[in-house]
């Protein structure tokens, strides 16, 4: 057992507190990682606030990047000294995992939100008090973590880890939704609602895919301006312009071939349906509170032949997709570092606040 420093969520809708905790011994399928950087993601915020049911107190954090210090006897993918990025956990044995659809693991909630190992134990304690661990298999708001091997992705040691941390969730989700799931045709039109980290990743991925009309939609003008720098061809500020009308104008009335929503706001989803092209696709990656519904009109939709789909973690296999994003970053085609603002661990709550206000797109803690 070793002593570590971690940011603990003790109460819903309350700031996280930096505390000294005890980290127990490695299990056979775990990797001890010294964190270098951890991204702050919207999912951390909604779990902190009780929207998703991880038991508190808990150490959250699921966009970790660091250096391997030790490995369990069953681990084969990394060795001490390797640089790694961490992503969502998956069980490896359900039908979806066995067919390469890890993002849709049948045991996803237990693996990522359960707050413990599969046997019910937690790797973290505070003077004997149980602290939920293994958030997304990692709980990376900490100086060190025992991470399940399924969450580990080995990356090139030449790439700075503080630039790679956001790949584990937000960037993978946005880019993967485009490149793995929507797969837009070169020359097609694409729009993304919400230009936080997920939306910006989608903009960059749409450019990689060869979309020639890329529309960024938000109510923060500073974010829209940056989206233009990253590949957007048009923007819509929803404080000034109706979403559906704006998209129809940009496409000369034809509608958009594919729209990705990162907000999960019903009124925006309904407007997006109206702005779809015939045979268009509306995809949702935004997380909403359980019970949230969006009413879609049926009559006009029938003859449009449109598709609605939900996407988890960019429908990616992290061990395959994240190295591909790293390769794109090295070529300058996926410049995620332009979105990052770094914070010290003591500033973690400032990072949450700045992200929620729109001031910062991707806060990253540097340990």
């Amino acid at each position: 057992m070793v002593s570590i420093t971690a940011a603990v969520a003790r109460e819903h809708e309350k700031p996280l507190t930096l505390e000294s905790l005890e980290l127990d011994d490695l299990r056979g399928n775990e990797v001890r990682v010294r964190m270098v950087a951890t991204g702050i993601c919207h999912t951390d915020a909604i779990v902190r606030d009780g929207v998703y049911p991880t038991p508190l107190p808990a150490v959250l954090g699921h966009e970790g990047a660091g250096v391997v210090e030790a490995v369990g006897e069953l681990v084969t993918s990394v060795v001490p000294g390797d640089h790694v990025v961490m992503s969502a956990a998956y069980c490896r044995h359900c039908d979806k995992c066995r067919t390469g659809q890890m993002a849709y693991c049948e045991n996803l909630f237990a693996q990522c939100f359960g707050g413990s190992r599969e046997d019910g134990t937690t790797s973290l304690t505070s003077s004997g008090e149980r602290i939920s661990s293994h958030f997304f298999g990692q709980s990376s708001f900490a100086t060190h973590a025992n991470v399940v091997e399924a969450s580990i992705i080995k990356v090139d040691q030449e790439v700075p880890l503080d630039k790679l941390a956001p790949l584990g969730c937000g960037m993978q989700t946005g880019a993967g939704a485009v490149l793995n799931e929507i797969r837009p045709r070169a020359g097609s039109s694409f729009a993304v609602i919400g230009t936080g980290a997920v939306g910006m990743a989608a903009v960059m991925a749409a450019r990689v895919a060869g979309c020639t009309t890329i529309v960024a939609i938000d109510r923060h003008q500073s974010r829209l301006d940056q989206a233009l720098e990253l590949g957007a061809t048009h923007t819509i500020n929803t404080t000034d312009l109706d979403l559906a009308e704006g998209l129809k104008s940009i496409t000369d009335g034809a509608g958009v071939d594919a729209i990705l929503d990162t907000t999960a706001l019903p009124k925006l989803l309904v407007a997006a349906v109206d702005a779809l092209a015939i045979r268009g696709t509306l995809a949702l990656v935004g997380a909403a509170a359980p019970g949230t519904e969006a009413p879609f009109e049926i009559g006009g939709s029938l003859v449009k032949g449109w598709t609605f789909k939900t996407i988890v973690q960019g429908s990616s296999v992290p061990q395959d997709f994240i190295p591909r994003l790293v390769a794109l970053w090295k070529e300058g085609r996926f410049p995620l570092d332009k979105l990052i603002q770094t914070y010290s661990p003591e500033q973690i709550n400032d990072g949450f606040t700045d992200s929620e206000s729109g001031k910062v797109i991707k806060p990253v803690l540097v340990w």
Side-chain angles (χ1 to χ4, degrees), residues 90 153 172 180 315-326:
Y90 49 90
I153 302 97
Q172 174 180 238
N180 297 331
S315 294
S316 71
V317 178
Q319 287 75 13
D320 167 71
F321 189 60
I322 287 178
R324 288 162 55 196
L325 292 180
V326 174

Side-chain angles (χ1 to χ4, degrees), residues 153-188:
I153 302 97
K154 183 178 176 180
V155 294
D156 292 344
Q157 294 196 11
E158 64 193 73
V159 182
L161 285 169
D162 60 336
K163 304 294 190 294
L164 300 187
L167 292 176
C169 183
M171 296 291 173
Q172 174 180 238
T173 295
V178 176
L179 298 175
N180 297 331
E181 189 68 42
I182 297 174
R183 299 182 182 183
R185 294 175 301 145
S188 65

Side-chain angles (χ1 to χ4, degrees), residues 335-355:
L336 75 158
D337 47 306
K338 293 183 178 181
L339 307 174
I340 291 173
Q341 174 68 48
T342 59
Y343 294 78
S344 69
E346 292 77 14
Q347 297 172 310
I348 185 170
N349 294 304
D350 295 331
F352 274 96
T353 299
D354 291 346
S355 177

Side-chain angles (χ1 to χ4, degrees), residues 121-205:
T121 63
T122 176
S123 64
L124 297 170
T125 54
S126 175
S127 300
E129 177 190 18
R130 176 187 173 101
I131 307 293
S132 288
S133 67
H134 290 76
F135 184 62
F136 278 64
Q138 55 187 279
S139 287
S140 53
F141 282 160
T143 55
H144 296 76
N146 292 346
V147 183
V148 296
E149 186 180 18
S151 293
I152 293 285
I153 302 97
K154 183 178 176 180
V155 294
D156 292 344
Q157 294 196 11
E158 64 193 73
V159 182
L161 285 169
D162 60 336
K163 304 294 190 294
L164 300 187
L167 292 176
C169 183
M171 296 291 173
Q172 174 180 238
T173 295
V178 176
L179 298 175
N180 297 331
E181 189 68 42
I182 297 174
R183 299 182 182 183
R185 294 175 301 145
S188 65
S189 58
F190 172 82
V192 60
I193 306 172
T195 52
V198 175
M200 290 293 196
V203 166
M204 293 186 287

